[in-house]
Amino acid sequence: MYSKLFSVTLAAALCGSLGQLKAQTNVADDFKPSMLNQPGQEYPQVNSQGYARFRIKAPQADSVKVSLGLGGRGGTKLSKGSDGYFTGTTEGPMDEGFHYYHLTVDGGTFNDPGTLNYYGSTRWESGIEIPARDQDFYSLKNVPHGNVQQILYPSASTGTSRRAYVYTPPGYEKEKSKKYPVLYLQHGWGEDETAWSNQGRANLIMDNLIAEGKTKPFIIVMTYGMTNEVKFGGLRNFKVDNFQTVLTDELIPYVDVNFRTMADRAHRAMGGLSMGGMETHAITLAKPDTFGYYALLSGGLYTPEETAGKAKPMLIFMSCGSRERPDGVKTAAANLKSAGYNAVSYVSENTGHEFQTWRRSLHELAPMLFTK
């Protein structure tokens, strides 16, 4: 998945020298268990500066390494103590937000038994959360909450029953006559339909925005974007055609029948992160009469040339982290504006190809949707 490949390797490449210079000097001794730890587990821990510390019991092992870490040397190597525990701290602070990681124990790949697992990199990976200064917008608060439910919908084109998760906003169950717009929101490479609500906290972002009166309530549909089996690292072999059929010919009609939707182009949006942005780009251009709002989150760019002659979108939103290619996003938006489109660019500061970028992007995007 793009987020796995880039959040680790990009941070290592760009911040390696900083991590080496720090050499763990002046590391604050205020480590606390990560908020994603399993119940009762003390490790992994994070401190106020964003350092992560790990402690793994493996008395028969010779080496343990964590895939996270700065310095460009392939992660954080843990040191073995006489008690059989391996411990270690990242060379420098990690980016704020969510990170996937795993352990390499004597050459084998394992998850950290201390933390919860999240689907990414085409497998269940350990997860750690580095508290962010702006985490309030996706925090669990005492506000009315929507509901995230699993649905199973038939797919004749693939000969299977497929799964999606659907967020319905607060009040959906009570106001039986009210209809809602819909955002179809796609995950990244190697992830699945659980990513946006688990790693991305999309439901909490929406709950908080709605409670603050900053966005119109709308439904979010999140489904699995892989329709052909492509091994890790083989994104170039992925073809969007089959997924386009699943989405536009099967899932959207199912959602419109089974949920109270405003079933027209003006009230339907599509967006996605990374690979999900690639899917969004291809499908919105192929089906301009289906979607009225487009959003690419670290997922490419639109140009006036490729949108010319098609039904005009009411919004084109493009975002990325400041450690990606922000100039490209800004330039693309400026070119689209000059051509008469409502185009918006957003850059997440001090983040790369990772979920903190995409959480912030959704927070910026949501208030712009369905305003016409």
Side-chain angles (χ1 to χ4, degrees):
M1 174 215 104
Y2 275 161
S3 64
K4 166 65 179 179
L5 289 174
F6 284 82
S7 64
V8 176
T9 60
L10 187 62
L14 294 177
C15 300
S17 59
L18 175 62
Q20 292 176 37
L21 288 172
K22 283 182 177 294
Q24 294 191 332
T25 59
N26 301 318
V27 179
D29 190 20
D30 56 359
F31 284 87
K32 297 179 181 179
S34 166
M35 64 180 67
L36 303 185
N37 285 5
Q38 296 195 41
Q41 296 299 309
E42 188 177 0
Y43 287 88
Q45 297 184 344
V46 297
N47 76 351
S48 58
Q49 299 165 311
Y51 286 80
R53 179 168 290 170
F54 305 91
R55 188 169 188 257
I56 306 296
K57 186 176 183 180
Q60 303 303 314
D62 293 320
S63 67
V64 177
K65 185 170 64 175
V66 179
S67 61
L68 287 180
L70 306 180
R73 290 186 288 278
T76 300
K77 186 175 181 179
L78 308 188
S79 298
K80 187 175 185 179
S82 59
D83 57 359
Y85 282 91
F86 285 79
T87 59
T89 304
T90 56
E91 285 187 310
M94 303 298 299
D95 283 355
E96 296 177 339
F98 174 87
H99 299 276
Y100 300 102
Y101 74 97
H102 60 263
L103 309 176
T104 300
V105 181
D106 288 349
T109 301
F110 302 91
N111 286 354
D112 187 337
T115 190
L116 300 174
N117 296 328
Y118 299 83
Y119 195 78
S121 309
T122 65
R123 64 182 296 273
W124 289 96
E125 289 263 83
S126 300
I128 192 170
E129 185 79 24
I130 306 299
R133 287 163 290 180
D134 61 345
Q135 64 185 350
D136 183 72
F137 76 86
Y138 55 84
S139 297
L140 177 61
K141 300 180 183 178
N142 185 20
V143 299
H145 293 292
N147 180 50
V148 178
Q149 62 182 289
Q150 173 186 280
I151 62 170
L152 301 173
Y153 61 97
S155 170
S157 67
T158 62
T160 62
S161 180
R162 297 178 67 85
R163 185 174 73 163
Y165 281 89
V166 180
Y167 166 82
T168 50
Y172 179 87
E173 284 77 18
K174 295 181 180 179
E175 302 175 63
K176 298 296 185 182
S177 62
K178 186 175 180 179
K179 294 185 177 182
Y180 295 84
V182 185
L183 166 63
Y184 288 84
L185 188 60
Q186 288 306 120
H187 58 82
W189 169 259
E191 294 171 339
D192 67 5
E193 59 273 26
T194 64
W196 265 110
S197 50
N198 286 351
Q199 294 94 293
R201 303 194 182 184
N203 54 316
L204 297 183
I205 292 171
M206 285 297 299
D207 291 345
N208 293 337
L209 283 171
I210 292 169
E212 295 166 2
K214 293 182 177 179
T215 186
K216 286 187 174 182
F218 55 84
I219 294 168
I220 301 178
V221 178
M222 301 155 281
T223 195
Y224 186 49
M226 305 297 290
T227 47
N228 53 343
E229 291 300 325
V230 179
K231 293 183 179 180
F232 186 77
L235 182 60
R236 64 183 178 276
N237 299 319
F238 178 75
K239 295 181 179 180
V240 76
D241 306 62
N242 293 338
F243 178 64
Q244 178 176 299
T245 297
V246 169
L247 179 69
T248 61
D249 296 350
E250 298 168 346
L251 178 57
I252 289 177
Y254 182 90
V255 170
D256 286 340
V257 167
N258 291 278
F259 292 85
R260 298 195 310 276
T261 66
M262 302 172 78
D264 57 33
R265 176 181 182 270
H267 297 95
R268 190 181 295 124
M270 184 175 181
L273 69 88
S274 195
M275 185 198 74
M278 179 194 75
E279 293 176 325
T280 297
H281 180 267
I283 293 173
T284 53
L285 291 177
K287 297 283 187 177
D289 294 325
T290 301
F291 301 97
Y293 296 79
Y294 308 169
L296 307 182
L297 284 54
S298 303
L301 307 169
Y302 288 99
T303 67
E305 293 74 21
E306 62 191 358
T307 55
K310 303 177 185 292
K312 195 171 186 178
M314 282 156 275
L315 172 70
I316 295 177
F317 179 92
M318 296 171 290
S319 72
C320 68
S322 63
R323 296 186 185 134
E324 296 186 272
R325 295 182 178 178
D327 289 343
V329 166
K330 294 175 184 177
T331 300
N335 291 340
L336 286 163
K337 286 180 182 178
S338 297
Y341 291 89
N342 177 25
V344 175
S345 64
Y346 169 72
V347 176
S348 168
E349 291 302 320
N350 299 316
T351 57
H353 204 79
E354 53 196 324
F355 254 105
Q356 196 67 6
T357 296
W358 306 321
R359 289 169 175 173
R360 290 171 176 170
S361 296
L362 179 59
H363 184 252
E364 293 292 321
L365 169 66
M368 302 179 192
L369 295 176
F370 314 119
T371 58
K372 300 296 184 179

